[in-house]
Amino acid sequence: MRGIELDRYDYQILEALQKDARATHQKLAQEVPLSASQIGRRIQRLEESGIIQGYHIALRPDLLDLSVTAFANVSLERHGEASIREFAAAISDLPEVLECYAVAGEADYWLRIVVQDLPSLSRFVMNKLMTLSLVRSVKSTVALEPIKHTTRLPLQPPGR
């Protein structure tokens, strides 16, 4: 549970920042009916509360010779607190893994992996993922074409 109450202005600021995280307070004031200084104070409060975790740049992987995206379902040999921590630490050290989620169902974890090409994916799975002592199995699927990719959350201000 978050520690602060959000009003419609906070949601407007968050929505505007999701569109353009580099927008100045003055530019945001053109979209949100508050002064630039009020917007600055609200953004600082949103950052301090942890609602705004940071600001990131979005890169085109295909233009950086990272043309293969794959999704892997990973099942572990052992389960338990120590195993979960060990797996999380190992995955955190693999830059090819962009996202990792603990999931319910057939697999224990879902990974989004980005690599240069199919041979790179094969090497990554065989030489990195499958060599982790906890990993029982990996089932991967290669993405053919991105249809939708966003980091924008579907924000719903109060009263909607």
Side-chain angles (χ1 to χ4, degrees):
M1 219 40 217
R2 63 178 187 258
I4 66 170
E5 288 296 318
L6 302 180
D7 62 19
R8 66 185 173 106
Y9 299 114
D10 294 317
Y11 279 95
Q12 289 175 354
I13 291 168
L14 291 170
E15 188 63 38
L17 286 172
Q18 285 191 116
K19 291 178 196 169
D20 181 5
R22 292 176 51 170
T24 64
H25 298 166
Q26 289 76 18
K27 185 173 182 207
L28 292 169
Q30 294 172 0
E31 285 188 51
V32 181
L34 295 172
S35 70
S37 62
Q38 288 174 311
I39 288 172
R41 285 191 296 275
R42 284 174 178 262
I43 289 173
Q44 182 177 3
R45 181 175 60 99
L46 293 165
E47 290 170 345
E48 289 170 355
S49 73
I51 291 172
I52 295 177
Q53 292 182 327
Y55 300 88
H56 309 277
I57 187 170
L59 303 174
R60 288 261 315 262
D62 58 319
L63 297 179
L64 297 166
D65 292 328
L66 295 167
S67 61
V68 173
T69 297
F71 301 93
N73 293 316
V74 177
S75 296
L76 300 185
E77 279 293 339
R78 301 181 307 278
H79 299 86
E81 219 172 295
S83 297
I84 291 168
R85 279 196 307 273
E86 181 182 337
F87 181 76
I91 289 300
S92 295
D93 289 338
L94 299 174
E96 299 89 345
V97 177
L98 302 187
E99 296 177 76
C100 176
Y101 298 92
V103 296
E106 289 183 30
D108 297 312
Y109 294 92
W110 177 85
L111 311 178
R112 181 167 66 100
I113 301 163
V114 173
V115 292
Q116 187 173 13
D117 51 27
L118 290 175
S120 298
L121 177 62
S122 178
R123 284 190 301 277
F124 174 77
V125 170
M126 300 304 287
N127 300 335
K128 291 187 179 179
L129 275 184
M130 292 300 292
T131 60
L132 297 176
S133 63
L134 292 169
V135 173
R136 179 179 68 224
S137 67
V138 176
K139 294 179 183 175
S140 57
T141 302
V142 174
L144 297 177
E145 179 181 356
I147 304 301
K148 179 179 180 180
H149 176 80
T150 185
T151 58
R152 289 176 60 182
L153 296 176
L155 299 178
Q156 294 295 318
R160 266 195 169 172

